[in-house]
Amino acid sequence: MRCEKYETLLSQLADGELSTGQELEVHRHISSCPECRTFYEWILRAEELLRFEHSRLPLRTDITSEVLRRLSRRRRRVGLLVSVSVLCLIVSLIFFLLRGGSLVVEVVTGTGAEVSRTGIRWRKPGAGDAVPVGWTVRSGNSTLVLRGCGVTLELREGSELRLNLLRDADVKVSLKSGSLLASVEELARCRVETPIASVWSSDGKFLLRLSGEVPSFSFLPCAYAGEEARLVVDVLRGQVTVRKGGSVRAVVAGSRAVVSFSVAGVYVKAFSELAGQKWDEFRENRLNFWRQMQVYLDGLELFAQAIELWSYGTPRSELLSLSRERRGRALNGMRRLYAKERQIAVALDEFLELQKKVEE
Amino acid sequence: MRDDKSLSGESGEIRSIVERAQKGDKEAFGIIVERFQKMVCAVARQISGNVDDAEDIAQEVFLRAYRSLPLLRDPSSFRTWLLRITRNVSLNWLRDHKPLQTMSKDTVDALEGKRDGQTLSTVMEAVWRLPEEYRSVVALRALGGLSYAEISEALGISLDTVKVRLHRARKMLRVLLGDILSRRK
């Protein structure tokens, strides 16, 4: 019974992992217990012999030279790979620029939809078809949904539009007749510098230009050809009416927007002042948010590397927990930002109330 | 085998060499390979159970280490980190190949130290017969020279688990080797 207590400590004594007090105690025991002393000496001897056996095996190759040689060869291979990749990228870019991009038709319901170009009639679009730039899309007697470049366009029955794709999320749509619903999704794809989204609208035509990164941001503009254009920005929980021939510029801040009208300039100044005051505060918060997001993205990147490097020796659990920690920090940042944005929303609501009273 | 264990006293020097290698200095990495190759070969040999391919495994370990070096946050824990890679690569090798439980004639010849006419491969072979979790702790401790805390870090297990595994491994080895070692006394 007494030996059982010391048995597990013998290994630690042999490895020098005991405290001085414990060492003395175990030494006292083995000096009086032949069985434990034998086991202790056996451990030392076995490990010494194991090391001796390995040391007797000569290295048959010059590992250092071989490793350095393989590293140089790998670098040359990587260099070649990079060159080929760059070449492919350039070819793809040239091809893209010449082609000008396209939208993919995701859903076609009903009948009569067709895609055409002046003098050329294309076949009827089916799910998964690509609609090239400069072509006109007619919905026929059905609703046609086009999705691509982060934008979804829902072409209502009897509508016709002409597509002109710019880069990424820039889509210029000329509505010839009928009505159109457009929503912007997958904004994470858009690379943007400032959280600003602008919408210009005039009757029958509009241009969506997203120059801001705004993962929580989306809007749903709706235009009716030949009529007074009406723009609904649903995250704003408000509506802006643009009279025929007018234009509107919307700067979106979080869940609210600052809107200026070319035909209603009387309100622009007061609106802008409040916006400017709140904007500074918002902007600071937004910057903090993106810093947090960067941490999150770093975490994701690290996680991606982990997948590759897993077999290289970094424990998966360690990387996963690191990623979780960083993700947690980013989420907290987002929550704080959301709270700030709500404050701004309340302030803007108060302003709108005030504005209404002034109008009255 | 633990000739490079003396490097623990030179951690400052190793650290600076590792830092140079992290910046892409291949000469510095060459020094690292030179210093740690015997230890890596021994651990790879012991964990993979293969004598003849241990040097190939070691080369793979160093190549992977070079690629992952920028991710090493604490250069002073380089030895632990390198041995963790060694264990993983050895186990990958073991998964992809059938372990060699017998040795080539050249190896046996090299091992025969003519101690009472016996082959000295006995302890090595006995360790090979241990389950992998026990074999790894023995190899990292006896051949890699890692402390319990370092083994715990390298394998991602608790300190108590390290103690238990080492103790059990030695008890198993004693069953396998007891008589032979006694005879050699």
Side-chain angles (χ1 to χ4, degrees):
Chain A
M1 191 67 193
R2 194 161 163 254
C3 285
E4 276 175 21
K5 177 190 166 189
Y6 289 103
E7 194 181 33
T8 53
L9 296 176
L10 292 175
S11 277
Q12 295 169 49
L13 178 69
D15 293 328
E17 293 275 347
L18 290 179
S19 65
T20 315
Q22 283 177 312
E23 255 184 40
L24 283 172
E25 187 187 343
V26 181
H27 270 300
R28 261 201 303 273
H29 171 73
I30 58 178
S31 64
S32 62
C33 175
E35 196 176 331
C36 285
R37 188 169 59 246
T38 308
F39 185 43
Y40 172 67
E41 286 168 355
W42 182 91
I43 293 171
L44 295 177
R45 178 158 175 72
E47 296 217 341
E48 182 196 332
L49 200 54
L50 181 64
R51 284 192 287 272
F52 176 71
E53 286 170 5
H54 280 279
S55 70
R56 298 275 301 186
L57 289 170
L59 296 181
R60 288 164 301 180
T61 51
D62 183 351
I63 295 179
T64 310
S65 306
E66 189 61 22
V67 166
L68 293 178
R69 189 183 63 77
R70 286 174 67 179
L71 282 177
S72 305
R73 199 174 59 188
R74 183 174 163 269
R75 174 172 263 184
R76 281 199 297 274
R77 206 166 55 217
V78 169
L80 183 67
L81 201 65
V82 168
S83 307
V84 171
S85 303
V86 167
L87 190 65
C88 288
L89 194 66
I90 291 170
V91 170
S92 306
L93 193 63
I94 290 170
F95 180 76
F96 176 78
L97 289 175
L98 288 176
R99 189 163 174 265
S102 62
L103 278 185
V104 172
V105 179
E106 191 181 64
V107 182
V108 180
T109 56
T111 55
E114 65 175 33
V115 181
S116 62
R117 195 171 192 174
T118 313
I120 306 170
R121 186 172 170 184
W122 200 44
R123 61 185 173 84
K124 291 178 180 176
D129 280 343
V131 180
V133 164
W135 289 57
T136 298
V137 182
R138 190 180 298 122
S139 65
N141 56 2
S142 62
T143 296
L144 184 65
V145 178
L146 308 172
R147 190 192 294 270
C149 297
V151 178
T152 300
L153 300 173
E154 188 180 320
L155 198 56
R156 293 287 169 82
E157 185 179 335
S159 300
E160 185 179 314
L161 64 79
R162 183 186 164 91
L163 292 169
N164 189 12
L165 302 188
L166 305 175
R167 284 194 315 251
D168 292 339
D170 286 2
V171 181
K172 187 177 180 182
V173 183
S174 306
L175 190 63
K176 291 182 176 175
S177 64
S179 62
L180 174 74
L181 278 170
S183 64
V184 181
E185 297 170 353
E186 299 174 16
L187 286 177
R189 284 186 186 175
C190 309
R191 183 178 178 80
V192 274
E193 302 301 325
T194 54
I196 295 173
S198 309
V199 180
W200 289 270
S201 176
S202 60
D203 54 48
K205 292 179 181 177
F206 65 85
L207 168 68
L208 312 180
R209 178 181 292 280
L210 298 178
S211 56
E213 63 202 300
V214 229
S216 61
F217 170 79
S218 67
F219 57 81
L220 190 66
C222 183
Y224 300 89
E227 298 174 4
E228 184 178 82
R230 189 161 174 253
L231 185 69
V232 180
V233 189
D234 77 338
V235 230
L236 305 182
R237 291 174 295 165
Q239 293 186 355
V240 178
T241 301
V242 186
R243 295 189 177 84
K244 194 169 183 176
S247 65
V248 60
R249 183 167 188 269
V251 178
V252 179
S255 58
R256 301 307 302 257
V258 177
V259 184
S260 56
F261 308 90
S262 64
V263 289
V266 65
Y267 300 121
V268 170
K269 191 178 173 189
F271 211 98
S272 299
E273 276 173 6
L274 179 71
Q277 182 190 339
K278 294 292 176 189
W279 179 255
D280 288 342
E281 186 185 339
F282 169 78
R283 190 166 175 276
E284 183 57 35
N285 290 330
R286 182 60 89 176
L287 285 174
N288 288 336
F289 166 71
W290 284 110
R291 281 188 206 112
Q292 295 279 0
M293 277 303 286
Q294 194 55 51
V295 173
Y296 173 60
L297 292 174
D298 286 348
L300 282 184
E301 191 184 340
L302 201 63
F303 180 69
Q305 286 175 351
I307 293 170
E308 191 195 343
L309 295 171
W310 190 358
S311 60
Y312 297 173
T314 310
R316 181 167 174 265
S317 58
E318 184 185 320
L319 285 157
L320 278 176
S321 65
L322 191 63
S323 183
R324 267 201 301 275
E325 181 202 336
R326 290 189 174 192
R327 191 180 301 142
R329 287 213 301 270
L331 284 173
N332 285 336
M334 288 169 77
R335 285 193 195 102
R336 284 200 297 275
L337 180 70
Y338 179 67
K340 285 285 178 191
E341 286 178 357
R342 282 181 65 84
Q343 288 173 14
I344 295 172
V346 170
L348 284 172
D349 276 334
E350 288 168 6
F351 171 75
L352 287 173
E353 281 294 314
L354 185 67
Q355 188 186 33
K356 199 173 170 185
K357 283 179 187 167
V358 171
E359 279 180 9
E360 286 168 354
Chain B
M1 194 48 48
R2 296 172 87 176
D3 50 350
D4 47 17
K5 176 62 181 171
S6 59
L7 292 173
S8 62
E10 303 167 12
S11 57
E13 186 196 347
I14 288 296
R15 189 188 171 92
S16 71
I17 296 172
V18 170
E19 282 170 350
R20 273 169 51 206
Q22 280 183 312
K23 289 170 188 163
D25 184 342
K26 281 192 182 163
E27 193 187 334
F29 191 71
I31 297 171
I32 289 173
V33 178
E34 194 67 37
R35 290 203 174 186
F36 289 99
Q37 56 182 341
K38 280 187 182 174
M39 177 192 76
V40 168
C41 276
V43 173
R45 195 184 290 132
Q46 196 62 70
I47 293 178
S48 70
N50 187 290
V51 172
D52 296 330
D53 289 343
E55 289 172 34
D56 291 341
I57 296 173
Q59 282 185 30
E60 186 59 28
V61 167
F62 285 115
L63 288 173
R64 290 192 181 193
Y66 185 80
R67 285 197 291 264
S68 308
L69 210 48
L71 290 176
L72 176 64
R73 281 166 295 179
D74 180 12
S76 60
S77 65
F78 177 76
R79 173 193 289 265
T80 308
W81 180 78
L82 184 66
L83 286 172
R84 185 164 62 202
I85 296 178
T86 307
R87 177 194 176 239
N88 288 348
V89 174
S90 303
L91 291 179
N92 285 347
W93 187 95
L94 199 58
R95 192 189 55 209
D96 298 338
H97 300 75
K98 271 194 169 179
L100 279 181
Q101 292 298 345
T102 57
M103 298 181 183
S104 68
K105 188 171 183 311
D106 288 347
T107 309
V108 173
D109 289 345
L111 282 168
E112 283 188 352
K114 300 296 177 191
R115 278 195 178 186
D116 303 328
Q118 289 184 10
T119 298
L120 293 182
S121 60
T122 319
V123 183
M124 201 188 290
E125 283 179 339
V127 177
W128 282 348
R129 289 184 200 164
L130 297 178
E132 186 278 316
E133 62 265 33
Y134 296 111
R135 198 164 68 233
S136 289
V137 288
V138 170
L140 295 180
R141 172 66 213 157
L143 305 171
L146 295 190
S147 68
Y148 285 11
E150 287 167 332
I151 296 172
S152 156
E153 188 191 336
L155 299 183
I157 56 179
S158 72
L159 207 56
D160 285 339
T161 310
V162 174
K163 290 175 187 172
V164 170
R165 283 189 187 173
L166 262 175
H167 176 63
R168 287 184 184 165
R170 283 161 176 165
K171 283 181 80 174
M172 289 181 203
L173 283 174
R174 199 181 186 195
V175 173
L176 291 167
L177 286 165
D179 292 344
I180 297 166
L181 285 187
S182 302
R183 274 205 308 274
R184 283 184 187 172
K185 273 190 173 180

